[in-house]
Protein backbone atom coordinates (compact mmCIF):
# COMPACT_ATOMS: atom_id res chain seq x y z
CA UNK A 1 0.00 0.00 0.00
CA UNK A 2 1.18 3.52 -0.79
CA UNK A 3 0.02 7.00 0.21
CA UNK A 4 0.29 10.00 -2.11
CA UNK A 5 -0.23 13.52 -0.74
CA UNK A 6 -1.00 16.26 -3.26
CA UNK A 7 -0.21 19.86 -2.33
CA UNK A 8 -0.73 22.98 -4.44
CA UNK A 9 1.48 26.03 -3.98
CA UNK A 10 0.78 29.49 -5.28
CA UNK A 11 3.14 32.20 -4.03
CA UNK A 12 3.30 30.83 -0.48
CA UNK A 13 6.83 29.54 -0.02
CA UNK A 14 7.01 29.80 3.76
CA UNK A 15 3.61 28.20 4.40
CA UNK A 16 4.28 25.39 1.92
CA UNK A 17 7.63 24.48 3.45
CA UNK A 18 6.07 24.50 6.91
CA UNK A 19 3.31 22.18 5.68
CA UNK A 20 5.72 19.75 4.01
CA UNK A 21 7.90 19.64 7.12
CA UNK A 22 4.92 18.77 9.33
CA UNK A 23 3.84 16.12 6.84
CA UNK A 24 7.31 14.61 6.79
CA UNK A 25 7.12 14.25 10.58
CA UNK A 26 3.67 12.66 10.28
CA UNK A 27 5.08 10.04 7.91
CA UNK A 28 7.42 8.93 10.71
CA UNK A 29 4.41 8.33 12.97
CA UNK A 30 2.71 6.40 10.16
CA UNK A 31 5.57 3.91 10.33
CA UNK A 32 5.69 3.04 6.64
CA UNK A 33 8.82 2.76 4.52
CA UNK A 34 9.83 5.79 2.46
CA UNK A 35 8.86 4.03 -0.75
CA UNK A 36 5.30 3.75 0.60
CA UNK A 37 4.74 7.52 0.88
CA UNK A 38 5.15 10.40 -1.52
CA UNK A 39 4.47 14.12 -1.61
CA UNK A 40 3.43 15.55 -4.97
CA UNK A 41 4.01 19.32 -4.86
CA UNK A 42 2.47 21.29 -7.71
CA UNK A 43 3.57 24.90 -8.16
CA UNK A 44 0.51 26.42 -9.76
CA UNK A 45 2.12 29.20 -11.80
CA UNK A 46 3.72 31.09 -8.89
CA UNK A 47 5.58 34.32 -9.57
CA UNK A 48 8.27 33.19 -7.11
CA UNK A 49 8.82 29.44 -7.18
CA UNK A 50 10.29 27.59 -4.22
CA UNK A 51 14.04 27.00 -4.80
CA UNK A 52 15.05 23.40 -5.40
CA UNK A 53 17.61 23.66 -2.60
CA UNK A 54 14.73 24.15 -0.13
CA UNK A 55 12.92 21.05 -1.39
CA UNK A 56 15.78 18.62 -1.84
CA UNK A 57 15.92 17.82 1.89
CA UNK A 58 12.54 16.07 1.63
CA UNK A 59 13.34 12.64 0.23
CA UNK A 60 9.70 11.70 -0.36
CA UNK A 61 8.86 14.84 -2.37
CA UNK A 62 8.51 15.32 -6.13
CA UNK A 63 7.84 18.84 -7.40
CA UNK A 64 6.28 20.03 -10.65
CA UNK A 65 6.05 23.59 -11.96
CA UNK A 66 3.12 24.72 -14.08
CA UNK A 67 3.55 27.65 -16.46
CA UNK A 68 0.33 29.30 -15.31
CA UNK A 69 -2.24 29.11 -12.55
CA UNK A 70 -4.64 26.38 -13.67
CA UNK A 71 -6.96 26.78 -10.70
CA UNK A 72 -7.55 24.36 -7.86
CA UNK A 73 -9.30 21.51 -9.69
CA UNK A 74 -6.97 21.38 -12.70
CA UNK A 75 -3.90 21.82 -10.50
CA UNK A 76 -4.90 18.99 -8.21
CA UNK A 77 -5.86 16.79 -11.14
CA UNK A 78 -2.37 17.31 -12.50
CA UNK A 79 -1.07 15.99 -9.20
CA UNK A 80 -3.51 13.07 -9.26
CA UNK A 81 -2.12 12.00 -12.61
CA UNK A 82 1.41 12.02 -11.18
CA UNK A 83 0.48 10.19 -7.97
CA UNK A 84 1.07 6.45 -7.68
CA UNK A 85 -0.53 5.75 -4.30
CA UNK A 86 -3.44 3.47 -3.49
CA UNK A 87 -4.50 6.15 -1.00
CA UNK A 88 -4.68 9.82 -1.98
CA UNK A 89 -4.64 12.80 0.35
CA UNK A 90 -5.46 16.29 -0.90
CA UNK A 91 -3.87 18.81 1.42
CA UNK A 92 -3.79 22.61 1.40
CA UNK A 93 -0.35 24.13 1.64
CA UNK A 94 -1.41 26.36 4.56
CA UNK A 95 -2.06 23.40 6.86
CA UNK A 96 0.11 22.10 9.67
CA UNK A 97 -0.37 18.38 10.16
CA UNK A 98 -0.34 17.05 13.72
CA UNK A 99 2.07 14.18 14.11
CA UNK A 100 -0.51 11.39 14.46
CA UNK A 101 -3.20 12.82 12.15
CA UNK A 102 -2.14 11.01 8.97
CA UNK A 103 -1.74 7.63 10.66
CA UNK A 104 -5.17 7.88 12.32
CA UNK A 105 -6.90 8.93 9.09
CA UNK A 106 -5.21 6.13 7.15
CA UNK A 107 -6.11 3.57 9.82
CA UNK A 108 -9.74 4.69 9.75
CA UNK A 109 -10.05 4.64 5.95
CA UNK A 110 -8.40 1.25 5.48
CA UNK A 111 -10.75 -0.23 8.07
CA UNK A 112 -13.92 1.30 6.63
CA UNK A 113 -14.78 -0.02 3.16
CA UNK A 114 -17.90 2.13 2.78
CA UNK A 115 -16.07 5.40 3.44
CA UNK A 116 -15.52 7.52 0.35
CA UNK A 117 -13.73 10.48 1.92
CA UNK A 118 -12.45 10.92 5.45
CA UNK A 119 -11.41 14.31 6.84
CA UNK A 120 -10.18 15.63 10.18
CA UNK A 121 -11.34 18.60 12.20
CA UNK A 122 -9.66 21.79 11.02
CA UNK A 123 -8.55 24.28 13.64
CA UNK A 124 -7.35 27.85 13.40
CA UNK A 125 -3.82 28.52 14.59
CA UNK A 126 -5.24 29.63 17.98
CA UNK A 127 -6.85 26.21 18.37
CA UNK A 128 -10.43 27.33 17.76
CA UNK A 129 -12.73 25.20 15.64
CA UNK A 130 -12.86 26.08 11.95
CA UNK A 131 -15.99 25.99 9.80
CA UNK A 132 -14.98 22.99 7.67
CA UNK A 133 -17.79 20.41 7.61
CA UNK A 134 -20.79 21.86 5.88
CA UNK A 135 -24.30 21.65 4.55
CA UNK A 136 -25.04 21.93 0.84
CA UNK A 137 -23.50 25.27 -0.28
CA UNK A 138 -26.73 26.85 -1.47
CA UNK A 139 -27.27 30.59 -1.64
CA UNK A 140 -28.35 30.91 2.00
CA UNK A 141 -25.38 28.89 3.23
CA UNK A 142 -23.00 30.98 1.12
CA UNK A 143 -24.41 34.18 2.64
CA UNK A 144 -23.83 32.70 6.09
CA UNK A 145 -20.29 31.78 5.09
CA UNK A 146 -19.49 35.24 3.75
CA UNK A 147 -21.06 37.17 6.64
CA UNK A 148 -20.29 34.68 9.41
CA UNK A 149 -23.88 35.10 10.67
CA UNK A 150 -25.74 31.98 11.73
CA UNK A 151 -23.16 29.59 10.35
CA UNK A 152 -22.01 26.58 12.30
CA UNK A 153 -19.90 23.51 11.83
CA UNK A 154 -22.48 20.79 11.20
CA UNK A 155 -20.16 18.18 12.69
CA UNK A 156 -19.11 20.08 15.78
CA UNK A 157 -21.04 17.76 18.10
CA UNK A 158 -19.74 15.09 20.40
CA UNK A 159 -20.07 12.12 18.03
CA UNK A 160 -16.75 10.68 16.91
CA UNK A 161 -17.79 10.26 13.25
CA UNK A 162 -20.17 12.68 11.53
CA UNK A 163 -21.48 12.69 7.96
CA UNK A 164 -21.84 16.24 6.58
CA UNK A 165 -22.80 17.05 3.00
CA UNK A 166 -19.19 17.93 2.32
CA UNK A 167 -15.85 18.68 3.92
CA UNK A 168 -13.70 21.48 2.55
CA UNK A 169 -10.76 20.47 0.40
CA UNK A 170 -8.05 21.55 2.84
CA UNK A 171 -7.64 17.90 3.85
CA UNK A 172 -9.39 14.95 2.25
CA UNK A 173 -8.23 11.32 2.23
CA UNK A 174 -9.70 8.76 -0.17
CA UNK A 175 -8.83 5.63 -2.13
CA UNK A 176 -7.60 5.86 -5.70
CA UNK A 177 -10.53 3.61 -6.68
CA UNK A 178 -12.87 6.54 -5.99
CA UNK A 179 -11.27 8.42 -8.88
CA UNK A 180 -11.70 5.39 -11.14
CA UNK A 181 -15.36 5.25 -10.14
CA UNK A 182 -16.50 8.89 -10.35
CA UNK A 183 -13.67 10.70 -12.16
CA UNK A 184 -11.40 13.51 -11.08
CA UNK A 185 -12.23 16.98 -9.81
CA UNK A 186 -14.47 19.02 -12.11
CA UNK A 187 -12.13 21.25 -14.12
CA UNK A 188 -14.96 23.61 -15.02
CA UNK A 189 -14.57 24.94 -11.47
CA UNK A 190 -11.50 27.19 -11.22
CA UNK A 191 -11.75 28.07 -7.53
CA UNK A 192 -14.50 26.67 -5.27
CA UNK A 193 -16.76 24.76 -4.89
CA UNK A 194 -14.78 21.88 -6.40
CA UNK A 195 -14.58 20.27 -2.95
CA UNK A 196 -18.37 20.25 -2.48
CA UNK A 197 -18.90 18.90 -5.99
CA UNK A 198 -16.42 16.08 -5.41
CA UNK A 199 -18.00 15.08 -2.08
CA UNK A 200 -21.51 15.12 -3.54
CA UNK A 201 -20.44 12.90 -6.42
CA UNK A 202 -18.79 10.51 -3.96
CA UNK A 203 -22.01 10.36 -1.95
CA UNK A 204 -24.08 9.80 -5.08
CA UNK A 205 -21.85 6.82 -5.87
CA UNK A 206 -22.93 5.21 -2.59
CA UNK A 207 -20.03 6.10 -0.29
CA UNK A 208 -20.02 8.09 2.95
CA UNK A 209 -18.33 11.39 3.77
CA UNK A 210 -16.78 10.85 7.19
CA UNK A 211 -15.59 13.66 9.46
CA UNK A 212 -13.54 12.48 12.43
CA UNK A 213 -13.99 14.79 15.40
CA UNK A 214 -11.14 13.09 17.30
CA UNK A 215 -8.50 13.95 14.68
CA UNK A 216 -7.42 17.50 13.90
CA UNK A 217 -4.91 19.57 11.95
CA UNK A 218 -4.22 23.30 11.84
CA UNK A 219 -5.34 25.36 8.87
CA UNK A 220 -4.05 28.93 8.55
CA UNK A 221 -6.36 29.66 5.66
CA UNK A 222 -6.84 32.75 3.51
CA UNK A 223 -10.33 33.78 2.42
CA UNK A 224 -9.51 35.62 -0.80
CA UNK A 225 -13.09 36.13 -1.90
CA UNK A 226 -14.17 37.51 1.47
CA UNK A 227 -11.34 40.05 1.69
CA UNK A 228 -12.21 41.63 -1.65
CA UNK A 229 -15.35 40.51 -3.52
CA UNK A 230 -14.41 42.49 -6.65
CA UNK A 231 -11.21 40.73 -7.67
CA UNK A 232 -10.78 38.42 -10.64
CA UNK A 233 -10.59 35.36 -8.39
CA UNK A 234 -13.84 36.39 -6.66
CA UNK A 235 -15.54 36.66 -10.06
CA UNK A 236 -14.29 33.19 -10.99
CA UNK A 237 -15.62 31.86 -7.69
CA UNK A 238 -19.05 33.39 -8.36
CA UNK A 239 -19.04 31.97 -11.89
CA UNK A 240 -18.11 28.54 -10.51
CA UNK A 241 -21.02 28.69 -8.05
CA UNK A 242 -23.48 29.36 -10.86
CA UNK A 243 -22.07 26.40 -12.78
CA UNK A 244 -22.28 24.25 -9.63
CA UNK A 245 -25.95 25.14 -9.00
CA UNK A 246 -26.91 24.39 -12.61
CA UNK A 247 -24.99 21.11 -12.54
CA UNK A 248 -26.67 19.84 -9.39
CA UNK A 249 -30.05 21.43 -10.05
CA UNK A 250 -30.26 23.01 -6.63
CA UNK A 251 -29.82 26.63 -5.53
CA UNK A 252 -30.80 26.41 -1.85
Amino acid sequence: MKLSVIILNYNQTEATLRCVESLDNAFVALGWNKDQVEIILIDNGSDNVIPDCSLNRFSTLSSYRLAENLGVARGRNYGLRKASGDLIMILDNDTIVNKDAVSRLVMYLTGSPHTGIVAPVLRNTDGSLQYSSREYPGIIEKIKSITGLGRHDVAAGCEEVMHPCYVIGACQLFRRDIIKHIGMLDENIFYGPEDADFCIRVSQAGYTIDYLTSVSIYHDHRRITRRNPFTGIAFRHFKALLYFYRKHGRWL
Side-chain angles (χ1 to χ4, degrees), residues 111-204:
S112 181
H114 300 295
T115 298
I117 296 173
V118 61
V121 170
L122 299 182
R123 296 192 179 278
N124 297 306
T125 52
D126 64 1
S128 59
L129 186 69
Q130 201 170 99
Y131 178 54
S132 60
S133 63
R134 306 186 180 184
E135 302 282 5
Y136 180 84
I139 294 174
I140 294 176
E141 287 298 318
K142 292 304 294 183
I143 291 173
K144 290 180 182 179
S145 177
I146 293 170
T147 63
L149 299 175
R151 76 179 189 184
H152 65 284
D153 194 299
V154 298
C158 60
E159 295 183 48
E160 183 176 354
V161 183
M162 305 292 286
H163 304 288
C165 174
Y166 78 103
V167 289
I168 69 171
C171 183
Q172 296 178 347
L173 178 67
F174 51 90
R175 299 177 184 84
R176 174 179 289 278
D177 287 347
I178 289 290
I179 297 295
K180 295 178 181 178
H181 193 173
I182 71 166
M184 294 189 177
L185 301 175
D186 189 334
E187 297 188 357
N188 291 298
I189 302 174
F190 183 88
Y191 171 70
E194 78 292 327
D195 47 9
D197 175 78
F198 187 60
C199 287
I200 289 171
R201 288 159 50 209
V202 168
S203 295
Q204 290 172 342

